[in-house]
């Protein structure tokens, strides 16, 4: 524990503020003022660098761009591979693991070592990997890189250690999965086909061993050639040459016939007794034409042929629809006897697999479900019921149901909020699911010892809001809210109003503000609207109040609701109070004179609202002189004050949501009053209308501002400002550059990583005059003036020019007076300065503890009245100081901008600490968070660095280059929370949670689920004497004898390269087989080692004997030739 002591002796003390090169911030204009009374500030900081470490915890959502699917029928776990090289392994709810190939190559195929706790992955870079699943975080044990051939198909027989690998050249190689070494046994394509064949058969698209005889391998080539290869005799039993290309093959369990799917939409059945032609060819979806031919159909990409003990077999396939039916959705067809069921899917089918009761291919399969992996969804169909219902998916696979546009993360919520949200959300769940248990039930998971309520909120492009239970690294949807229900559906002639502001998705959510204690919820939409919701357990019939705000420089342009007679009570520094103006009619207005109308129309009738979050108030910014409103850049809500503040590049508006009035509407210039540190030069409003960049002329004779352009470290953006403008979707201003860009949400993949310019004419708004955006807002108990002795309700305002304004307010404390008396707002012009846009405020008491904002305890306004217990507002007020004596001590204000962080002492406004966070990059997200019973400042920079600073001393505790910012999605969704946790959208469909707490990293193993559960492999059925005698395996098949090094030799070293994985030796042994196999192999290895040592000893003795003999002969030769002359030789 380190003790920081700071002696404040006016502004002349040698504080760290002087090291930052920033001017003193004692007054509004930066000039020094009277020094505060000298005193000591003792803060015991307990956080050290050892308390922090970055690691990923869990990934939620649907795997982005899936490519492969596999299932272990004994362990009952599922694996999904993706195009980016990721592998998701799923079991029972809570068992959810994410692995990533370092190469990032797409996963082509996955194969479980059934009931062995291992997985083989084949990737597009022609590398095979063996994953150990017997640890909570799977690791690669072996890799095998093919150098000269490309992998196209893999097959691993049940209870075999030899993996068959087909290649693009048509060859089949065999890999030992224990050592991951190639066998010398190779099935060359020219040996597999007849010598008379003149054409290459194409890549291998199928490999499978015969259920009847494991010594027979069926090889399917893309061209339509099928070869049954006898592994013992190394020759082909039969060859089939079919006219149509083959996509897949599936065996009957008896091994006497198999089915193929073809590129013309047909299914062919073959009998091993007569392979000259198929005994049955069907076009399941092809109709006969007049000339007798079948109509052309799309390819059947995969077919599964599964038998049942008490009914007809199942034939399940994907594709095969006729071409003439344009617009048909992708289908999965289930043929059961004569019944044909076609299941239409919402997205293209990537892969499917049928789940069966037995892992043995030579037994009756008894299918009970089919897992279907779609491009953007994942479903499981129940085959045991005739109507084939789907199972209710327990995983959060619908995060991307509409594109995620913003996120919020709340740790350590009130314990009662999750059950309440779940009970309300459960009433709106879909029905019609299968009543059976979820079939993917493998692994084990228990709630860890260190858990607390956590909630994640996601906002979406369609205006919907989802509340998720994120407790104990799980994710479960609690409640869904649709904000679009607040508005009327636009008619044909009214579409243009919002379309000119955003290209599409006029209800897209930009940001949210939530008070968990009071359950008041606020949503900011992209059409410059704010919706305030209150929570109720009862339904209600009510109307929604609409406030329309004309947010521009003129203070008088404030519009209150036409159906009320409330007045706007705002007080500027000069004492003027703007009066409300009547709302303009909402008729179709010509574009040239469009003025004082909102982008969307709020429902103006009484509507029924179900239990849950119910809309109470909508605040909309209005068009001004034919220009659409600038989108909202900042929002804050305080339930104790009953106030809502919104800001954009035009200024600030404060709304009293209890009285439903606007109490302040001013531009940032007017908020400064006489304390404006800048001299602003006005531009012509129509000059340079199409300009998207240009430096606003600012001059500051009193302070030194950073006016140099700084290039962003992120490729693809001319500057950090251009990137931030696309992040917020609005016009923003700072010292550096001025650009305008409007982001348009879109479902299409291409739009997820690129930002389109809006058709809005708002690009000209930067030329009207020099304005600055309000980038952050926060209500707090603070000191609005230096001479204040007691804290009062204040609004802290941060701008894109790095300036901080304080707006004190006078709020009546009595409940009745609060509903009747107006709130007095008096901007003081107080200015604090930082480099870059202000991002975050935080408040500490004089001992370094975090001060929470005041809040109101939740009360249900729609509950029946109880005369004995009237509903009254219960406020919890965390004042900076709890008594009159300590009130004069003030509090600490933490202010973080894009470039630096400062800590001020209030009310003196003395700058105690300064830390320049970054010079080459800029901060995207900053939060004051609680970790390990202390407080710190967490920052995420555009160059991918995550930094942690101590408070209040701003001492660097952690700086890790964690994540390069590859697209705007990460910047838009990254957020920190208490407890050392954070999250961001790692892909359009997945939420990645991370921790920066060393304590949580240490406890992560306990929180993760176990993928492998020791389970006995089911015994094979007794086939009976007659069945085994006439149709069973005539002889046992020893693959080791055929494929081992002794029989097959070694493969060419240039063909493939073995790469050892990071797994331990114990992991290798575990993944290679069961416990009994490990012991047997260990015993054999010891015997072999002893034998080799004995042989080495014998060879050493022989070498010594040979050396002695050689020495003896050499000595004799020397004596013999000793006395001879040279000419005698």
């Amino acid at each position: 524990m380190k003790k920081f002591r700071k002696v404040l002796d006016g502004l002349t003390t040698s504080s760290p503020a002087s090291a930052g090169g920033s001017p003193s911030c004692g007054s509004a204009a930066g000039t020094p003022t009277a020094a505060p009374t000298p005193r000591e500030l003792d803060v015991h900081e307990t956080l050290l660098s050892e308390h922090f470490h970055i690691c990923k915890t869990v990934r939620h959502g649907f795997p982005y761009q899936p490519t492969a699917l596999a299932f272990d029928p004994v362990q009952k776990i599922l694996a999904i591979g993706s195009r980016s090289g990721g592998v998701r392994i799923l079991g029972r709810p809570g068992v959810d693991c994410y692995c990533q190939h370092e190469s990032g190559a797409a996963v082509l195929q996955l194969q479980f070592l059934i009931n062995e706790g291992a997985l083989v992955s084949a990737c597009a870079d022609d590398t095979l990997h063996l994953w150990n699943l017997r640890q909570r975080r799977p690791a690669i044990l072996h890799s095998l890189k093919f150098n000269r051939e490309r992998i196209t198909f893999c097959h691993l027989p049940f209870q075999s250690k030899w993996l068959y690998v087909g290649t693009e050249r048509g060859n089949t190689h065999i890999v030992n999965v224990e050592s991951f070494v190639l066998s010398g046994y190779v099935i060359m394509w020219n040996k597999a086909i007849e010598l008379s064949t003149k054409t290459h058969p194409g890549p291998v698209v199928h490999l499978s061993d015969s259920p009847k005889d494991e010594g027979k391998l069926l090889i399917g080539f893309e061209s339509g050639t099928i070869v049954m290869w006898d592994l013992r005799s190394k020759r082909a039993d039969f060859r089939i040459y079919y006219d149509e290309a083959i996509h897949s093959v599936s065996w009957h369990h008896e091994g006497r016939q198999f089915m193929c799917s073809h590129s013309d939409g047909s299914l062919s059945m073959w009998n091993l007794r007569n392979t000259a032609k198929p005994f049955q060819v069907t076009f399941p979806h092809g109709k006969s034409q007049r000339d007798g031919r079948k109509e052309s159909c799309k390819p059947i990409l995969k077919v599964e042929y599964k038998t049942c003990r008490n009914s007809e077999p199942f034939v399940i396939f994907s594709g095969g629809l006729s071409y003439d039916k344009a617009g048909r959705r992708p289908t999965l067809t289930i043929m059961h006897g004569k019944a044909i069921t076609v299941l239409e899917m919402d997205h293209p089918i990537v892969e499917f697999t049928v789940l069966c009761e037995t892992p043995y291919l030579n037994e009756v399969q008894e299918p009970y479900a089919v897992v279907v992996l779609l491009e953007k969804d994942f479903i499981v169909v129940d085959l045991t019921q005739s109507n084939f219902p789907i199972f209710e998916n327990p995983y959060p696979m619908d995060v991307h149901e509409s594109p995620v546009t913003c996120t919020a993360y709340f740790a350590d919520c009130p314990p009662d909020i999750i059950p309440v949200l779940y009970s309300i959300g459960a009433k709106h769940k879909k029905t019609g699911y299968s009543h059976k248990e979820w079939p993917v039930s493998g692994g084990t998971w228990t709630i860890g010892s260190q858990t607390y309520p956590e909630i994640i909120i996601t906002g979406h492009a369609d205006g919907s809001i989802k509340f998720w239970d994120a407790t104990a690294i799980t994710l479960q949807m609690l409640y869904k809210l649709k904000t679009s229900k607040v508005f009327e559906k636009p008619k044909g002639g009214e579409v243009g109003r919002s379309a000119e502001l955003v290209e599409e998705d006029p209800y897209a959510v930009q940001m949210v503000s939530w008070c968990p204690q009071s359950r008041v919820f606020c949503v900011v939409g992209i059409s410059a609207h704010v919706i305030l919701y209150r929570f109720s357990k009862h339904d209600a019939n009510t109307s929604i109040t609409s406030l329309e705000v004309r947010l521009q420089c003129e203070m008088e342009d404030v519009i209150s609701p036409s159906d009320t007679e409330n007045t706007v009570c705002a007080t500027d520094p000069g004492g003027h109070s703007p009066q409300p103006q009547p709302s303009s009619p909402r008729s179709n207005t010509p574009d040239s004179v469009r003025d004082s109308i909102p982008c969307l129309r709020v429902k103006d009738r009484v509507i029924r609202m179900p239990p849950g979050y119910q809309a109470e108030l909508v605040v909309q910014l209005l068009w001004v002189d034919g220009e659409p409103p600038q989108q909202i850049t900042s929002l804050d809500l305080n339930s104790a004050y009953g106030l809502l503040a919104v800001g954009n590049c035009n200024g600030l508006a404060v709304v009293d949501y209890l009285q439903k009035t606007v109490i302040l509407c001013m531009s940032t210039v007017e908020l400064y009053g006489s304390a404006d540190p800048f001299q602003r030069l006005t531009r012509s409003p129509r000059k340079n209308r199409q300009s998207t960049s240009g430096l606003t002329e600012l001059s500051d004779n009193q302070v030194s501002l950073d006016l140099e352009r700084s290039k962003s470290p992120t490729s693809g953006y001319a500057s950090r400002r251009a990137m931030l403008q696309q992040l917020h979707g609005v016009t923003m201003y700072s010292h550096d550059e001025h650009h305008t860009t409007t982001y348009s949400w879109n479902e299409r993949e291409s739009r997820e990583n690129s930002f389109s310019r809006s058709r809005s004419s708002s690009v000209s708004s930067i030329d009207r005059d020099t304005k600055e955006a309000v980038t952050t807002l926060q209500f707090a108990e603070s000191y609005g003036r230096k001479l204040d002795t007691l804290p009062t309700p204040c609004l802290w305002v941060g701008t894109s020019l790095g300036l901080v304004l304080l707006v004190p307010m006078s709020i009546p404390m009595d409940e009745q007076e609060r509903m009747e008396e107006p709130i007095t707002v008096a901007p003081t012009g107080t200015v604090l300065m930082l480099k870059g846009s202000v991002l975050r405020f935080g408040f500490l008491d004089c001992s370094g503890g975090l001060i929470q904002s005041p809040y109101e305890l939740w009360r249900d306004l729609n509950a029946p009245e109880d005369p004995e217990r009237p509903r009254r507002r219960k406020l919890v007020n965390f004042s900076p100081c709890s008594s009159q004596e300590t009130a004069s001590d003030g509090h600490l204000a933490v202010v973080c901008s894009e470039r630096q962080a400062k800590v001020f002492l209030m009310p003196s406004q003395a700058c105690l600490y300064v830390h320049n966070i970054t010079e080459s990059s800029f901060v995207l997200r900053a939060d004051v968070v609680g970790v390990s019973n202390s407080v710190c400042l967490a920052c995420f920079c555009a160059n991918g660095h995550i930094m942690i600073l101590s408070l209040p001393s701003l001492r660097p505790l952690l700086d890790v280059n964690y994540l390069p910012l590859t697209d705007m999605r990460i910047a838009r969704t990254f957020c920190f929370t208490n407890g050392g946790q954070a999250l961001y959208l790692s892909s359009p469909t997945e939420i990645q949670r991370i921790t920066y707490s060393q304590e949580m990293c240490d406890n992560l193993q306990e929180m993760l689920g176990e993928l492998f559960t020791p389970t006995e492999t089911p015994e094979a059925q007794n086939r009976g004497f007659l069945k085994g005698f006439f149709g069973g395996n005539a002889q046992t098949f020893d693959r080791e004898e055929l494929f081992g090094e002794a029989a097959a030799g070694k493969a060419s070293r240039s063909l493939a390269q073995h790469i050892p994985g990071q797994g331990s030796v114990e992991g290798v042994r575990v993944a290679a087989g069961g416990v009994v196999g490990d012991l047997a192999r260990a015993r054999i290895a010891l015997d072999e080692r002893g034998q080799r040592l004995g042989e080495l000893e014998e060879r050493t003795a022989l070498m010594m004997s040979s050396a002695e003999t050689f020495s003896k002969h050499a000595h004799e030769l020397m004596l013999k030739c000793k006395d001879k002359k040279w000419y005698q030789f």
Side-chain angles (χ1 to χ4, degrees), residues 634-865:
S634 55
L635 168 76
D636 193 40
L637 166 77
N638 189 281
S639 58
Y641 302 159
L643 298 180
L644 173 69
V646 296
N648 67 359
C649 66
N650 284 329
L652 168 69
V654 181
V655 176
D656 182 348
Y657 68 79
L658 296 179
Q659 297 187 22
K660 309 292 192 301
T661 58
V662 179
I663 62 172
L664 178 71
C665 183
M666 301 176 94
S667 69
T668 47
V669 178
E670 293 171 308
L671 288 171
Y672 292 118
S674 61
D676 190 353
F678 299 114
Q679 296 177 4
R680 305 172 190 264
L681 302 180
T682 305
R683 288 175 179 265
S684 169
R686 296 300 174 185
K687 190 176 181 180
N688 298 329
R689 181 179 178 86
Q690 299 302 323
S691 174
T692 58
S693 64
L695 193 64
T696 304
E697 299 177 47
L698 300 176
S699 63
D700 181 13
N701 299 327
Q702 299 156 342
V703 296
S704 172
L705 295 177
D706 179 16
L707 293 176
E708 295 182 359
R709 294 175 179 265
S710 61
K711 293 185 178 180
S712 169
T714 308
S715 60
Y717 299 95
S719 67
R720 67 186 182 91
R721 299 309 312 165
M723 186 177 185
L724 278 184
Q725 284 141 23
Q726 292 186 344
L727 168 64
H728 293 288
V730 291
T731 306
M732 301 199 51
Y733 305 87
S734 79
H735 307 308
D736 301 333
E737 291 101 9
H738 299 265
H739 298 278
T740 60
T741 304
T742 302
Y743 179 69
S744 172
W745 309 109
N746 197 295
E747 295 263 9
R748 294 192 296 273
E749 173 188 337
S750 60
R751 292 291 185 89
E752 281 296 335
N753 296 324
S754 64
F755 290 74
S756 61
R757 296 185 180 273
S758 170
R759 297 189 299 266
S760 170
S761 58
S762 61
V763 294
S764 65
S765 61
I766 63 171
D767 297 321
R768 294 198 161 201
D769 56 6
T770 304
K771 293 176 284 188
E772 55 188 305
V774 177
T775 53
T776 185
L777 296 164
Q778 185 161 343
F779 290 100
E781 295 279 310
S782 187
Y783 303 85
R785 301 169 184 83
K786 288 185 178 181
L787 300 179
D788 287 351
T789 58
L790 292 175
T792 59
C794 290
L795 175 63
W796 285 66
V797 182
T799 75
S800 57
L801 291 183
L803 302 181
V804 179
L805 300 155
L806 272 74
V807 182
M809 297 169 291
S810 175
I811 303 176
M813 297 302 295
D814 181 75
E815 183 172 356
Q816 185 174 358
E817 291 181 359
R818 175 65 186 83
M819 299 303 296
E820 297 174 355
E821 297 293 327
I823 293 177
T824 304
V825 181
T828 61
T830 301
V831 176
L832 310 174
M833 294 185 179
L834 290 87
K835 294 180 182 178
S837 295
V838 181
L839 299 178
R840 187 67 58 190
F841 297 119
F843 304 98
L844 310 176
D845 58 29
C846 295
S847 61
L850 183 66
I851 301 174
Q852 297 187 39
S853 296
Y855 61 84
E856 176 190 1
L857 294 177
W858 175 72
R859 56 196 178 117
D860 196 338
L861 298 179
N862 295 332
E865 289 284 351

Side-chain angles (χ1 to χ4, degrees), residues 2-6 8 15-17 39 41-47 842-850 891-895 901-905 910-915 928 934-937 949-957:
K2 190 171 181 180
K3 180 179 180 182
F4 286 88
R5 175 163 294 188
K6 190 72 187 172
L8 300 179
S15 71
R39 64 181 186 82
L41 176 68
D42 293 339
V43 177
H44 296 269
E45 294 189 2
T46 59
L47 291 179
F843 304 98
L844 310 176
D845 58 29
C846 295
S847 61
L850 183 66
H891 68 88
L892 303 177
V894 182
V895 186
K902 289 186 178 182
V903 176
F904 296 94
L905 177 65
C911 184
L912 304 185
Y913 300 97
V914 176
H915 179 73
V928 177
S934 190
V935 186
C936 62
L937 177 64
L949 304 176
S950 68
L951 289 177
S953 65
L954 299 177
R955 178 170 45 93
L957 298 175

Side-chain angles (χ1 to χ4, degrees), residues 171-183:
N171 302 324
T172 301
H173 300 274
I174 301 171
V175 178
N176 187 324
V177 294
E178 288 185 351
S179 60
F180 244 54
V181 174
L182 269 180
S183 167

Side-chain angles (χ1 to χ4, degrees), residues 78-97:
L78 189 85
I80 300 174
S82 69
R83 191 179 301 177
S84 60
V87 178
R88 277 286 281 288
I89 304 171
L90 303 169
R92 68 175 66 248
V95 179
D96 188 342
C97 180

Side-chain angles (χ1 to χ4, degrees), residues 102-299:
E102 290 184 3
S103 65
V107 179
L108 298 179
Q109 197 174 349
L110 296 170
Q111 287 272 318
F112 276 104
L113 276 67
I114 296 176
N115 203 30
E116 296 288 352
L119 176 72
V120 174
S121 60
C123 296
D125 60 351
D126 306 307
T127 306
L128 297 172
H129 304 275
L130 178 65
W131 294 85
N132 176 19
L133 306 184
R134 296 197 179 202
Q135 55 193 53
R136 299 192 182 217
R137 283 190 174 275
I140 292 178
L141 302 172
H142 297 287
S143 296
L144 188 65
K145 168 73 173 175
F146 281 74
N147 297 322
R148 296 186 298 183
E149 297 201 53
R150 309 217 61 183
I151 299 172
T152 56
F153 195 86
C154 298
H155 170 61
L156 180 65
F158 179 44
Q159 294 181 323
S160 168
K161 69 174 185 179
W162 297 97
L163 175 71
Y164 301 112
V165 181
T167 68
E168 194 174 40
R169 292 186 180 179
N171 302 324
T172 301
H173 300 274
I174 301 171
V175 178
N176 187 324
V177 294
E178 288 185 351
S179 60
F180 244 54
V181 174
L182 269 180
S183 167
Y185 193 112
V186 183
I187 305 173
M188 304 299 291
W189 68 270
N190 54 355
K191 298 285 184 64
I193 65 173
E194 290 179 336
L195 297 177
S196 60
T197 306
K198 298 181 180 180
T199 58
H200 190 278
V204 175
V205 296
H206 178 80
L207 292 168
S208 62
D209 49 338
S210 169
K212 185 178 179 180
D213 185 356
E214 295 176 345
K216 305 291 180 67
L217 182 68
L218 191 71
I219 307 173
F221 298 94
E222 188 179 57
S223 63
T225 301
I226 301 174
V227 176
M228 176 69 87
W229 183 262
D230 190 328
L231 294 168
R232 301 183 191 88
S233 62
K234 300 182 181 180
R235 62 180 180 84
D237 272 6
F238 63 81
R239 300 177 177 90
I240 296 172
Y241 299 97
Y242 198 66
D243 296 336
E244 292 296 334
I246 292 175
H247 286 284
S248 69
V249 181
S250 184
W251 281 96
H252 188 280
H253 79 274
E254 293 179 350
R256 295 172 182 165
Q257 59 187 27
F258 58 87
M259 179 180 292
C260 301
S261 68
H262 301 281
S263 58
D264 63 347
S266 65
L267 297 173
S268 61
M269 287 282 290
W270 301 82
N271 196 306
L272 299 191
R273 294 181 179 178
N274 180 14
T275 58
K277 63 177 183 178
F279 73 87
Q280 183 180 354
V281 177
T282 57
F283 287 80
H285 294 298
K287 297 179 181 179
S288 299
Q289 297 177 338
R290 294 181 178 179
D291 56 1
R293 294 183 302 173
K294 294 284 186 180
E295 61 181 346
S296 58
C297 296
K298 298 176 183 178

